[in-house]
Amino acid sequence: MPLHKVPVGLWRRLWLREGICSRLPPHYLRSLQEARAPAPVHYRPRGVGAGAGAGAGGRRERVQDVPIPVYRPPEAQLGLWGGEGWVVGYRYVGDDKLSKRVKKVWKPQLLQRELYSEILDTKFAVTVTARTLDLIDAAYGFDFYILKTPEEDLCSKFGMDLKRGMLLRLARQDPQLHPDNPQKRAAIFDKYKEFVIPEAEAEWVGLTLDEAVEKQRLLEEKRADTLLHPG
């Protein structure tokens, strides 16, 4: 006999259908419900699921394609670790397989770098990893990296806050960007025009559920106050 009438995995979806959560913007609710698995960082997937692959001589062999559990400490939310985190495992003392096995934690090497955002016209002192710098180079710039990388791969509250700020500035065509050089401002907006979304959507990008609920509550309070005290 099951312990719960509804499977635990469905609790979050049901919760989003009730109360103030059900009144959140549809595009924000979709972003919560369409959670995708992050790109593999600490392992190389073999491209097959739980099925069997072809072994030597055409024999079928059992294949495991299981993601390695990664723990991301709170500090990871304040930097840009490129999807890396702590990996907990075991090692043999003295690299001798006949010796005792002890617990080990593999941690990424962290670097302090100053990164410049064209859209925000600001330099940020950020904790990064070597993989982050490689991803920034592959994206041809810091702003492109932030805008192109999905939330599940950024794995950073700081990164999502940056993305929201960039999207808002692009949506508003903010004249505060290089106010004395309109040509440079227009060139920057044109460079990143493919990422422009409506301002009403950009305001919700990267918000946690608690932040979104509080934002919705304030909006509803303001709307009710306007109805009660028009003008």
Side-chain angles (χ1 to χ4, degrees):
M1 182 176 179
L3 293 176
H4 308 287
K5 293 183 178 179
V6 180
V8 177
L10 296 179
W11 285 5
R12 181 181 176 89
R13 293 198 174 206
L14 293 177
W15 186 42
L16 293 176
R17 296 180 182 177
E18 300 176 352
I20 192 171
C21 291
S22 64
R23 301 194 295 275
L24 293 172
H27 57 82
Y28 181 78
L29 289 175
R30 281 197 303 271
S31 69
L32 294 179
Q33 295 170 357
E34 296 175 357
R36 295 175 293 272
V41 176
H42 297 283
Y43 72 102
R44 295 179 181 177
R46 299 185 62 175
V48 292
R59 296 190 304 271
R60 294 173 66 83
E61 61 179 5
R62 190 180 298 274
V63 174
Q64 287 187 340
D65 201 2
V66 182
I68 295 177
V70 179
Y71 170 71
R72 295 183 177 88
E75 306 88 70
Q77 299 296 322
L78 306 177
L80 295 171
W81 288 19
E84 293 191 69
W86 297 2
V87 176
V88 180
Y90 296 88
R91 67 175 180 84
Y92 293 103
V93 176
D95 290 332
D96 182 5
K97 291 190 176 182
L98 298 178
S99 64
K100 185 173 69 172
R101 196 175 66 162
V102 295
K103 195 170 185 178
K104 178 177 175 60
V105 180
W106 286 267
K107 301 179 181 180
Q109 181 183 10
L110 301 180
L111 311 168
Q112 286 291 331
R113 292 293 183 270
E114 195 172 71
L115 303 174
Y116 173 71
S117 168
E118 276 188 315
I119 298 175
L120 300 177
D121 191 26
T122 307
K123 291 182 179 180
F124 298 94
V126 190
T127 302
V128 300
T129 64
R131 184 174 191 271
T132 306
L133 299 178
D134 291 340
L135 292 173
I136 291 174
D137 289 341
Y140 300 103
F142 178 57
D143 290 19
F144 277 123
Y145 167 68
I146 295 294
L147 292 170
K148 288 180 179 180
T149 308
E151 182 175 5
E152 62 271 12
D153 290 335
L154 271 180
C155 303
S156 166
K157 184 68 172 68
F158 170 71
M160 292 306 297
D161 290 342
L162 279 180
K163 179 179 286 191
R164 182 170 63 254
M166 293 177 184
L167 292 174
L168 283 172
R169 174 156 278 188
L170 292 174
R172 295 167 179 168
Q173 298 287 294
D174 191 354
Q176 294 301 319
L177 176 64
H178 301 298
D180 301 328
N181 194 339
Q183 290 81 14
K184 185 175 182 180
R185 179 172 67 247
I188 291 175
F189 288 149
D190 183 68
K191 180 178 179 180
Y192 299 98
K193 62 182 178 182
E194 63 180 293
F195 302 103
V196 176
I197 61 175
E199 182 180 348
E201 293 186 19
E203 290 179 345
W204 296 83
V205 170
L207 294 180
T208 64
L209 184 57
D210 290 339
E211 291 173 339
V213 167
E214 179 64 15
K215 181 179 177 67
Q216 181 67 21
R217 186 186 66 81
L218 294 175
L219 289 174
E220 291 181 357
E221 280 188 1
K222 184 178 180 181
R223 195 177 304 127
D225 187 63
T226 303
L227 293 175
L228 292 174
H229 306 91

